[in-house]
Amino acid sequence: MSLPQYKTIVDHLKNQISAGKLSTQDKLPSERQLSDQFNASRITAREALLQLEREGVIYRLNRRGWFVSPTRLIYDPTSPATFNQMLASQNRIGETTPISYELTEAPKAIATVMDLSEGSPVYLIKRLRSVEQRPILIEQIYVDANLCPGLLKHDFSQSLTEIFSIHYQKEVTQTGVNMYATSLDEQTAQELQVSAGSPCLEIKRCRFTDEGRVLEYDIEYWRHDAVELRMSLGHGQN
Amino acid sequence: MSLPQYKTIVDHLKNQISAGKLSTQDKLPSERQLSDQFNASRITAREALLQLEREGVIYRLNRRGWFVSPTRLIYDPTSPATFNQMLASQNRIGETTPISYELTEAPKAIATVMDLSEGSPVYLIKRLRSVEQRPILIEQIYVDANLCPGLLKHDFSQSLTEIFSIHYQKEVTQTGVNMYATSLDEQTAQELQVSAGSPCLEIKRCRFTDEGRVLEYDIEYWRHDAVELRMSLGHGQN
DNA sequence: GAGTGGTCTAGACCACCGA
DNA sequence: CGGTGGTCTAGACCACTCT
């Protein structure tokens, strides 16, 4: 009864990883190699790999293979640090790659959250953020165009917060955060170089200026295995 | 090329759900029925169901079938509300079921986080929390026994916070929170009545009294599809 | 072109569930 | 008991990546 066969493979691979025989970013044996080695069908080997993926221990690059996940980033959504500052404090190196940017009209759902009327002008910026060559998250940022005229002439591989502060004298003083675990749609998965349907963390942030206006609305899709949230709160109770 | 066959099944089921033909807690057709209906193998049908599970749209009860997920709870880790207060404000009804409780010695890892020495006396309480008959999370709570002598004589289907406050005059004023997406081990999965390896959210909380001592350390395993975190923060920046 | 994962077939046996 | 999902086999073809 007890041990399903795929569990044996799972445990074996976990041991290899914790013993350091496989380390961060190393490629695992191929599905066919594993099924040979354990005298199992390829589907069984794959079952084991999918299980490790759910746990966040390994990840896959589309049709290239399975790899050991690096240590999770630690992200504090209550901290004022920018993405790069957060990385620097953990001795890691990140890159931000703009994918697209345009001036467009706010769709209904976005307009509602941003407290604008449908069709209001908004900038839509899409960026990829990576750490040590590995894509970590995709973000879509909607910015109220009336608050930041001419925004598109700036360099979006920089911190947006700094652009807001330096060029528009806008500071964010309040943020609403919303997040849950789900899975990636086809396009976002492709942009993150993972398989469609991979688990992810969806984080939405609505950021207000001190006048109480919504400066930006940000939708982020994080690889679920890339991040660990950590924060400290006063007056918690439960 | 484009559409894999399982995607057709995924879309079909999503439509059924959004059209209300399948609603909350309804049972989906069995894997064999689906594979007949779509002229696919059972593995393909199952692939579709696993995909919907990752998205949080459906869930399974061990060997009983697949069901439509209820609306996610909204949980604000920064709020002082207790579990039942949180549920009440969303017009939902919860139950807390104690699984076990004992006086034991703090293992090393726990002692470290709680700033105790290894082997210090701690109470370990394990509870299941459900909403409308559906298991939502398992929690393991370690309590510094020196701060709450005789704790075990209380009723743990009640709010622990209230027990601390009423019987021990202890109030939590600071909380460290740590969370990430992973998957359930065999035992916890069983306690939540889901399959081993189901995706989950692991939330750890370290709760301090106003003297800066650790009153309790809480490890929670949430079904990943059961919850959405939402919070509002001052002075956010990024 | 060789190797990889992505998808798929058509079966099988088992353990557990509910009636 | 029959029905369900849980696990598994031994293949297959495809699309893509790497070299």
Side-chain angles (χ1 to χ4, degrees):
Chain A
M1 50 123 274
S2 57
L3 286 217
Q5 193 172 345
Y6 75 87
K7 198 69 166 63
T8 315
I9 306 180
V10 165
D11 290 342
H12 171 259
L13 291 172
K14 277 191 184 170
N15 287 339
Q16 295 269 303
I17 293 169
S18 60
K21 286 177 190 162
L22 285 169
S23 59
T24 284
Q25 309 264 30
D26 278 0
K27 187 173 180 313
L28 273 65
S30 77
E31 297 179 357
R32 286 167 181 86
Q33 280 168 22
L34 283 171
S35 56
D36 281 358
Q37 184 182 342
F38 288 90
N39 245 305
S41 74
R42 194 180 141 210
I43 286 190
T44 301
R46 199 172 158 78
E47 180 75 19
L49 295 165
L50 290 168
Q51 171 56 25
L52 289 167
E53 181 193 47
R54 281 191 292 262
E55 289 181 35
V57 174
I58 64 174
Y59 66 98
R60 39 183 161 164
L61 290 180
N62 218 317
R63 283 169 228 272
R64 271 191 280 168
W66 295 86
F67 301 83
V68 180
S69 300
T71 314
R72 292 175 191 258
L73 290 181
I74 293 167
Y75 172 42
D76 181 351
T78 69
S79 150
T82 65
F83 185 72
N84 284 327
Q85 287 165 349
M86 165 189 86
L87 290 177
S89 72
Q90 296 173 48
N91 293 313
R92 304 185 73 159
I93 298 165
E95 311 91 46
T96 301
T97 316
I99 297 176
S100 65
Y101 38 93
E102 54 171 327
L103 178 60
T104 179
E105 301 180 349
K108 186 146 198 273
I110 302 296
T112 305
V113 213
M114 294 184 73
D115 199 21
L116 299 172
S117 44
E118 188 175 349
S120 294
V122 288
Y123 295 114
L124 171 55
I125 300 161
K126 207 160 148 180
R127 307 194 291 188
L128 167 68
R129 299 192 124 168
S130 311
V131 175
E132 288 131 25
Q133 271 59 261
R134 183 173 173 241
I136 293 296
L137 71 105
I138 292 283
E139 58 181 0
Q140 292 175 36
I141 309 166
Y142 292 89
V143 183
D144 184 344
N146 290 319
L147 295 182
C148 303
L151 182 68
L152 296 189
K153 67 171 180 252
H154 296 286
D155 172 11
F156 297 133
S157 63
Q158 303 288 105
S159 159
L160 263 185
T161 302
E162 284 173 10
I163 294 174
F164 291 146
S165 173
I166 296 171
H167 298 282
Y168 299 96
Q169 293 76 50
K170 300 282 180 201
E171 306 288 344
V172 171
T173 54
Q174 189 74 24
T175 307
V177 180
N178 181 304
M179 64 185 140
Y180 57 92
T182 180
S183 79
L184 294 167
D185 65 58
E186 210 148 342
Q187 190 188 346
T188 311
Q190 198 169 34
E191 289 163 347
L192 284 173
Q193 290 173 36
V194 301
S195 312
S198 296
C200 77
L201 223 49
E202 181 171 335
I203 304 185
K204 304 196 190 94
R205 293 189 299 167
C206 195
R207 311 181 70 212
F208 299 83
T209 65
D210 43 15
E211 305 115 1
R213 292 185 67 174
V214 176
L215 179 57
E216 58 159 310
Y217 181 64
D218 181 8
I219 307 177
E220 302 174 349
Y221 298 93
W222 290 71
R223 306 176 66 117
H224 85 303
D225 63 344
V227 65
E228 171 177 336
L229 298 158
R230 197 176 287 181
M231 52 199 162
S232 186
L233 309 165
H235 298 94
Q237 210 179 326
N238 181 336
Chain B
M1 49 122 275
S2 57
L3 285 217
Q5 193 172 344
Y6 76 86
K7 199 68 165 71
T8 316
I9 306 181
V10 165
D11 290 342
H12 172 259
L13 290 172
K14 277 190 183 170
N15 286 339
Q16 295 266 303
I17 293 168
S18 60
K21 286 177 190 163
L22 285 169
S23 59
T24 282
Q25 310 263 29
D26 279 0
K27 187 175 180 310
L28 272 66
S30 77
E31 296 178 358
R32 287 167 180 86
Q33 281 169 24
L34 283 171
S35 57
D36 281 359
Q37 183 181 342
F38 287 89
N39 245 304
S41 74
R42 195 180 139 210
I43 287 189
T44 302
R46 201 173 158 76
E47 181 75 19
L49 295 165
L50 290 167
Q51 172 55 27
L52 289 167
E53 182 193 47
R54 282 191 291 262
E55 290 181 34
V57 174
I58 64 174
Y59 66 99
R60 40 184 162 164
L61 290 181
N62 217 315
R63 284 169 228 272
R64 272 191 279 167
W66 295 86
F67 301 83
V68 179
S69 300
T71 314
R72 291 175 192 257
L73 290 181
I74 293 167
Y75 172 43
D76 182 351
T78 68
S79 151
T82 65
F83 186 71
N84 284 325
Q85 288 165 348
M86 166 190 86
L87 290 178
S89 72
Q90 296 173 49
N91 293 312
R92 304 185 74 160
I93 299 166
E95 311 90 47
T96 301
T97 315
I99 297 176
S100 65
Y101 39 93
E102 54 171 327
L103 177 61
T104 180
E105 300 181 349
K108 185 145 198 270
I110 302 295
T112 306
V113 210
M114 293 183 73
D115 199 20
L116 299 173
S117 43
E118 189 176 348
S120 295
V122 288
Y123 295 114
L124 171 55
I125 301 162
K126 206 161 149 180
R127 307 194 292 187
L128 167 67
R129 300 192 124 166
S130 311
V131 175
E132 288 130 24
Q133 272 59 257
R134 183 173 173 241
I136 294 296
L137 72 104
I138 293 285
E139 56 181 3
Q140 292 175 37
I141 309 166
Y142 292 88
V143 182
D144 183 346
N146 291 320
L147 294 183
C148 304
L151 183 68
L152 296 188
K153 66 171 181 251
H154 296 286
D155 171 11
F156 297 132
S157 62
Q158 304 288 105
S159 159
L160 263 185
T161 302
E162 284 173 11
I163 294 174
F164 291 145
S165 173
I166 295 172
H167 299 281
Y168 299 95
Q169 292 76 50
K170 300 283 180 204
E171 306 288 343
V172 171
T173 55
Q174 189 74 23
T175 307
V177 180
N178 182 302
M179 63 185 142
Y180 57 91
T182 181
S183 78
L184 294 167
D185 65 57
E186 210 148 341
Q187 191 189 346
T188 311
Q190 198 168 34
E191 290 163 344
L192 284 173
Q193 292 173 34
V194 301
S195 312
S198 296
C200 76
L201 223 51
E202 180 171 336
I203 305 185
K204 305 196 190 95
R205 292 187 301 166
C206 194
R207 312 181 68 212
F208 299 83
T209 66
D210 43 15
E211 305 115 2
R213 294 185 65 174
V214 176
L215 179 57
E216 57 158 311
Y217 182 64
D218 180 9
I219 306 177
E220 301 173 348
Y221 298 94
W222 290 71
R223 306 176 64 114
H224 85 301
D225 62 345
V227 66
E228 172 177 335
L229 298 157
R230 196 176 288 181
M231 53 199 161
S232 187
L233 311 164
H235 297 96
Q237 209 179 328
N238 181 333

